Amino acid sequence: MTRMLLGFVVVGVLAGICAAQFNPNVLCDRTSIVHLFEWRWEDIAAECERYLGPNGFGGVQISPPNENVIVKNPDRPWWERYQPASYKICTRSGDEHQFRDMVTRCNNVGVYIYVDAVINHMCGAGAGKGNVSTCGSPYDTIKREFPAVPYSSVDFNDKKCKTESGGIENYGDANQVRDCQLVSLLDLALEKEYVQSKIADYLNVLIDIGVAGFRVDAAKHMWPGDILAVNRKLNDLNTRWFHNGTQPFIYQEVIDLGGEALSVNEYIGIGRVTEFKYGAKLGNVIRKLNGEKMSYLKNWGEGWGFMQSDRALVFVDNHDNQRGHGAGGASILTFWDARLHKMAVGFMLAHPYGFTQIMSSFRWPRNFVNGKDVNDWVGPPSYNNGSTMAVTINEDTTCGSGWVCEHRWRQIKNMVIFRNVVNGQALINWWDNGNNQIAFGRGRAGFIVFNNDNWDMDVTLYTGLSPGKYCDIISGQKEGNVCTGKQISVSENSLANFVIKSSDEDPFVAIHVNAKL
């Protein structure tokens, strides 16, 4: 942990930045980011300092920081954040002053900020006319006027879209997907140099404040060349925290499960791309749907038809598909299935494929009608006036007030550390029983074992680790020279016995060199 804490020194932050194309810009000893969905800026700043920095998290994806319309029917849904009214930094997460404070404080402890950038569209056509927005900026969706930007009717794709409704009617038609309205959201004419410049101006303000990169929302609904044109207008990152000439990290939301007119291959030359097949297929395996088995994961990654690893951003679930939107359907594992979810995240963080993102959620009152959750719109924990509740921390370090905070679950936090420890080490010493018991090592730095069968596991395996006693970081953790969970003894010939009952709270075990007793 001492090496991780060096990130608290800004000089150490500058010295530790890796340089590579499509680089997430995290410190070299950090390998994962967390999506603190709908958190307030002041809560994120505090979390960077008290938890994320000390535990080796590389960064935070935040909710869109630009001004959005206030939607009161339904009452302040989470998706109002994806209905821009302007590019002012002013939302229920906080104002520009609080945003700047968050970026500075997080950067100073080596935890970088990645902005969810909504640049494909402005708010929905049904928002009407008025100034019911988070900063009071006026807008008129009928006339297509957003004076706070400013945009006018000539800056939208209404005339370019050829469908009768003005919306996407056929996802097999690439022109419709990119030129027509996505669920009535006013589609910006991104091929116009003026629109590109207004978007770049907004993103450059964020870059100058100190953010490290962007998730490009709805990238599938924009022409790749237009996204690239915006990227070319972006500044290099702020040299207070990043080396001179460092470019912002770009990862694009492109849902491609196959069978449509668009492909992730059209976007991988621009930046990383969200690999939605990852969580969908891993969920099938962990849930044992359609005859899938964990033993089939031996060639996980490109062997499963995924994009190349150095272009992929991966996750078990995200804010859309945990609510049944986006991709994956019933196969997606979320905090509602905590036992299986932890196992899936554990596998993701142990396996070398892709750059990993962890979801940190809030609860909502699920209500299924005909198989659909009719409460999937519910916004974050809020007070009666609609403002977002603070994230409270319980004595056991979990979160309260409706915040789930999966990133604070011991098993997930310790696997974030595991991934940091084994970073750069090859996947070796694979073992499986032909069903749902598997194990593999990461060089001589770590070893992980899973039992997802309906019977107990008792096997002796070659770990590749040096002899000694190790603390299992899933059932507990190393505290000084004491292990609060299971202890695993590795023999002189690197063998270890693993006993995992099918009824165990967490049916997997992980050890690494920094957990040696």
Side-chain angles (χ1 to χ4, degrees):
M1 292 300 294
T2 303
R3 188 163 63 101
M4 292 177 184
L5 291 175
L6 289 175
F8 280 80
V9 183
V10 176
V11 173
V13 171
L14 283 169
I17 297 172
C18 302
Q21 189 179 16
F22 302 92
N23 174 30
N25 298 324
V26 292
L27 296 183
C28 284
D29 61 355
R30 303 190 182 199
T31 55
S32 300
I33 63 175
V34 57
H35 184 188
L36 298 182
F37 183 48
E38 285 278 12
W39 280 43
R40 305 183 312 163
W41 309 146
E42 55 189 295
D43 290 328
I44 294 174
E47 190 73 347
C48 285
E49 294 169 337
R50 71 193 171 201
Y51 196 85
L52 300 178
N55 287 300
F57 286 80
V60 178
Q61 178 184 308
I62 63 170
S63 292
N66 60 283
E67 181 181 19
N68 57 267
V69 298
I70 295 174
V71 180
K72 292 188 176 179
N73 185 24
D75 187 33
R76 302 299 301 269
W78 63 267
W79 47 259
E80 78 167 38
R81 299 293 290 269
Y82 295 84
Q83 303 249 351
S86 82
Y87 297 135
K88 296 177 182 177
I89 302 174
C90 184
T91 66
R92 62 183 170 196
S93 286
D95 59 24
E96 182 172 342
H97 172 76
Q98 292 164 324
F99 182 87
R100 288 177 178 272
D101 180 65
M102 169 193 67
V103 173
T104 297
R105 290 167 61 186
C106 289
N107 283 357
N108 284 346
V109 295
V111 182
Y112 299 135
I113 300 298
Y114 303 85
V115 169
D116 197 348
V118 185
I119 61 174
N120 171 68
H121 55 263
M122 298 302 283
C123 62
K129 177 181 179 180
N131 59 356
V132 187
S133 51
T134 49
C135 220
S137 295
Y139 57 86
D140 187 334
T141 63
I142 299 170
K143 294 182 178 180
R144 309 302 200 243
E145 292 180 348
F146 294 85
V149 178
Y151 286 140
S152 66
S153 60
V154 299
D155 299 316
F156 294 89
N157 273 331
D158 296 293
K159 293 181 180 179
K160 196 174 181 182
C161 176
K162 303 304 181 184
T163 66
E164 184 176 349
S165 66
I168 302 168
E169 298 174 0
N170 175 16
Y171 272 83
D173 184 334
N175 292 313
Q176 285 190 33
V177 173
R178 288 162 170 162
D179 294 336
C180 298
Q181 294 175 9
L182 169 66
V183 291
S184 86
L185 298 163
L186 299 183
D187 199 64
L188 285 165
L190 206 66
E191 78 277 4
K192 290 188 59 176
E193 200 279 335
Y194 173 79
V195 175
Q196 295 169 6
S197 294
K198 299 310 292 185
I199 291 169
D201 288 346
Y202 160 57
L203 300 182
N204 280 331
V205 167
L206 301 174
I207 288 171
D208 293 345
I209 289 172
V211 307
F214 303 98
R215 172 193 181 264
V216 181
D217 179 66
K220 172 181 177 176
H221 299 279
M222 294 177 275
W223 292 96
D226 295 340
I227 298 175
L228 188 59
V230 172
N231 289 356
R232 286 172 175 161
K233 295 178 182 292
L234 298 183
N235 298 337
D236 292 338
L237 298 187
N238 190 319
T239 55
R240 179 178 174 185
W241 296 286
F242 303 96
H243 284 306
N244 186 42
T246 303
Q247 297 178 338
F249 177 46
I250 302 294
Y251 55 108
Q252 306 154 95
E253 184 203 18
V254 180
I255 301 174
D256 175 14
L257 299 183
E260 291 185 11
L262 309 177
S263 166
V264 296
N265 294 326
E266 299 176 62
Y267 294 87
I268 59 174
I270 301 170
R272 291 210 185 215
V273 182
T274 51
E275 180 53 275
F276 276 86
K277 294 189 189 83
Y278 192 101
K281 292 183 180 291
L282 185 58
N284 280 336
V285 171
I286 301 294
R287 291 187 187 277
K288 295 183 277 192
L289 300 177
N290 305 319
E292 297 283 7
K293 302 176 181 180
M294 289 195 78
S295 59
Y296 297 165
L297 297 173
K298 186 173 183 177
N299 66 335
W300 183 248
E302 289 94 336
W304 279 60
F306 301 165
M307 71 187 79
Q308 60 207 74
S309 179
D310 64 354
R311 296 294 187 267
L313 183 129
V314 299
F315 42 83
V316 170
D317 63 328
N318 78 344
H319 69 280
D320 276 317
N321 61 20
Q322 71 173 196
R323 290 166 170 77
H325 303 286
S331 67
I332 299 299
L333 286 164
T334 73
F335 68 90
W336 297 110
D337 304 289
R339 186 173 186 265
L340 297 181
H341 179 74
K342 285 183 282 188
M343 186 157 46
V345 175
F347 176 85
M348 176 183 75
L349 293 172
H351 195 279
Y353 178 84
F355 183 71
T356 50
Q357 176 177 277
I358 295 139
M359 182 67 196
S360 191
S361 317
F362 58 80
R363 290 181 180 85
W364 67 94
R366 292 202 295 180
N367 181 20
F368 288 93
V369 177
N370 297 324
K372 183 183 185 303
D373 183 0
V374 296
N375 282 341
D376 61 1
W377 59 269
V378 174
S382 301
Y383 299 106
N384 291 335
N385 65 0
S387 62
T388 302
M389 284 187 178
V391 177
T392 57
I393 308 300
N394 301 321
E395 288 187 10
D396 64 357
T397 76
T398 61
C399 294
S401 303
W403 299 97
V404 180
C405 299
E406 298 97 311
H407 69 284
R408 278 180 167 263
W409 293 356
R410 179 191 68 247
Q411 302 87 341
I412 291 177
K413 178 262 292 182
N414 284 344
M415 283 305 301
V416 168
I417 296 172
F418 178 101
R419 189 175 187 83
N420 292 342
V421 171
V422 304
N423 185 32
Q425 301 297 309
L427 191 157
I428 60 174
N429 299 322
W430 176 276
W431 172 90
D432 66 69
N433 70 341
N435 284 292
N436 291 291
Q437 296 177 7
I438 67 168
F440 59 88
R442 293 293 303 278
R444 296 181 61 81
F447 197 77
I448 192 164
V449 186
F450 295 86
N451 178 18
N452 200 29
D453 277 327
N454 296 326
W455 56 87
D456 295 348
M457 176 185 196
D458 186 344
V459 294
T460 298
L461 301 172
Y462 180 79
T463 66
L465 298 183
S466 60
K469 288 189 175 181
Y470 293 79
C471 183
D472 168 34
I473 61 169
I474 304 304
S475 59
Q477 58 194 22
K478 179 183 175 183
E479 295 180 357
N481 286 319
V482 177
C483 178
T484 63
K486 299 177 184 176
Q487 290 189 30
I488 305 296
S489 295
V490 176
S491 69
E492 290 293 330
N493 54 3
S494 202
L495 296 173
N497 179 245
F498 296 93
V499 177
I500 305 175
K501 295 182 178 180
S502 60
S503 60
D504 282 350
E505 176 185 355
D506 298 303
F508 64 113
V509 168
I511 55 178
H512 59 73
V513 291
N514 288 1
K516 190 174 183 181
L517 297 171

